[in-house]
Amino acid sequence: MKLMTGMLVTRYSHDHDIVFRIKNINGEKVLLHGEDLRLEADAPVDDVRVLPEEDIRKRQEEIKEQEEYSYRLFRQDYQLMKEKKDVEHKKEEPRNVQRFQLPVKVLHIDGDRLYLKKCIELYQRLGLQVHGMYIPENELPIEMEKLIKKVQPEILVITGHDAYSESKGSKKDIGAYRNTRYFVEAVRQARAWAPNLDQLIIFAGACQSHFESLIRAGANFASSPDRVNIHALDPVYIVAKVAYTPFMEKVNVYEVLKNTFTGEKGLGGMETKGLYRTGLPYVETN
């Protein structure tokens, strides 16, 4: 079968462990993007196997089931937080006073159009306001300052694809990573705009990214401590946990990670204040 961009494939050399989508074909080489993992890889044409339709359907069902499970876990956590706050408010306030909430503004910048679409759908399902932008990873440092000034978000996501290559250096060498250096520079620019870690919450990185550099650059949360792959939707669940945690409370890092697909091997971060703010009284507008 002739290879074409957009096809779902696996690699013989890696025992077909990850499903990729063909991003580009250049002679005898293909550029691959993980279908559900934020991983970028090259492969020879003869190392690639086109995924049969039956396998695609089975895989889609498994992924959908996994995504629904994570969504249900998050909704349970959110409901518990809401019930706790409702009990506190009833003790403190007259019954006839209604509260209102201030929405959190999220700027999600992604190096993959398909992932961006999936993430925006999940943000909307979780009731979050998001500005989504597709920008290739190598253009992130060029566009960051302009975008952040325009949107002025409270949460910033800088993600796309990445990968560590042992042939290019050790895991400590940032030059051995495909796109980490672009993520790091983008984080530095964003943090220069908002130096306080609680003024702008930043998630940065993708599969196998250099976690330590991203944290040092100013990210609150990043990937990937153990240089493992992360799921396309992981950044959304981190954002949602921060957005729905009351601002008088700290976000427990373990609590943030437990509903992600990847967990602490692929994601990490530091204590951060929540951004969920309520006020009173609620006034209806005509």
Side-chain angles (χ1 to χ4, degrees):
M1 185 182 294
K2 183 181 178 182
L3 296 179
M4 299 173 63
T5 58
M7 280 183 167
L8 295 180
V9 298
T10 56
R11 294 175 296 176
Y12 289 103
S13 60
H14 289 69
D15 295 324
H16 312 290
D17 59 341
I18 296 173
V19 176
F20 291 91
R21 188 176 294 273
I22 297 177
K23 177 67 175 177
N24 191 27
I25 303 172
N26 185 10
E28 294 300 306
K29 287 278 188 179
V30 290
L31 178 64
L32 306 173
H33 281 180
E35 176 64 0
D36 300 293
L37 302 174
R38 291 186 171 276
L39 180 67
E40 184 174 277
D42 297 306
V45 168
D46 58 9
D47 188 35
V48 170
R49 166 183 173 260
V50 177
L51 207 61
E53 285 294 325
E54 184 178 343
D55 288 0
I56 292 174
R57 285 194 298 271
K58 182 180 178 182
R59 183 196 143 278
Q60 287 174 338
E61 289 173 2
E62 291 172 350
I63 291 295
K64 185 68 176 175
E65 185 177 334
Q66 187 182 19
E67 289 175 356
E68 285 298 315
Y69 178 69
S70 284
Y71 175 76
R72 287 196 303 272
L73 285 179
F74 178 82
R75 292 298 303 180
Q76 288 172 8
D77 277 1
Y78 168 71
Q79 194 60 37
L80 287 172
M81 283 192 294
K82 186 175 182 299
E83 289 172 1
K84 179 185 173 184
K85 295 306 292 183
D86 286 346
V87 169
E88 291 175 1
H89 293 158
K90 284 177 182 177
K91 289 179 180 177
E92 298 168 359
E93 299 155 12
R95 291 186 180 182
N96 61 341
V97 174
Q98 284 185 287
R99 283 183 163 260
F100 61 88
Q101 294 84 39
L102 290 178
V104 174
K105 192 185 297 183
V106 181
L107 172 58
H108 182 117
I109 303 173
D110 210 311
D112 188 294
R113 292 184 191 275
L114 290 175
Y115 286 177
L116 178 61
K117 183 175 181 291
K118 287 181 180 180
C119 287
I120 287 176
E121 289 172 354
L122 183 55
Y123 282 121
Q124 291 173 342
R125 196 176 178 193
L126 292 167
L128 293 171
Q129 177 183 329
V130 60
H131 297 260
M133 299 290 297
Y134 161 71
I135 297 178
E137 291 84 354
N138 62 347
E139 296 179 18
L140 282 168
I142 302 169
E143 301 291 334
M144 179 54 58
E145 186 176 358
K146 179 178 68 176
L147 281 173
I148 206 165
K149 284 181 178 179
K150 180 180 178 182
V151 178
Q152 297 192 14
E154 293 159 284
I155 302 180
L156 172 65
V157 174
I158 305 169
T159 188
H161 296 276
D162 207 355
Y164 164 68
S165 176
E166 189 175 358
S167 63
K168 293 181 180 179
S170 73
K171 289 184 177 181
K172 295 179 180 179
D173 182 5
I174 198 171
Y177 297 78
R178 281 180 183 264
N179 291 316
T180 293
R181 62 190 181 278
Y182 303 123
F183 294 138
V184 167
E185 184 54 37
V187 170
R188 282 202 187 103
Q189 292 185 23
R191 188 53 72 202
W193 180 79
N196 189 319
L197 288 171
D198 292 318
Q199 180 186 357
L200 176 67
I201 314 302
I202 301 175
F203 171 90
C207 281
Q208 302 176 15
S209 292
H210 194 282
F211 171 79
E212 301 93 309
S213 291
L214 293 166
I215 292 294
R216 283 197 298 267
N220 299 69
F221 302 94
S223 61
S224 166
D226 282 12
R227 307 303 192 261
V228 300
N229 300 325
I230 71 167
H231 192 275
L233 299 178
D234 278 336
V236 181
Y237 282 111
I238 288 179
V239 167
K241 185 66 175 179
V242 174
Y244 285 122
T245 297
F247 90 103
M248 293 297 287
E249 297 179 15
K250 291 179 181 177
V251 177
N252 180 293
V253 177
Y254 174 74
E255 289 293 319
V256 172
L257 302 181
K258 74 175 185 179
N259 290 341
T260 63
F261 294 90
T262 309
E264 67 275 8
K265 289 187 176 181
L267 303 160
M270 61 186 73
E271 285 186 331
T272 300
K273 285 177 68 175
L275 293 178
Y276 186 74
R277 292 175 182 265
T278 61
L280 58 85
Y282 170 74
V283 178
E284 290 188 17
T285 56
N286 296 325

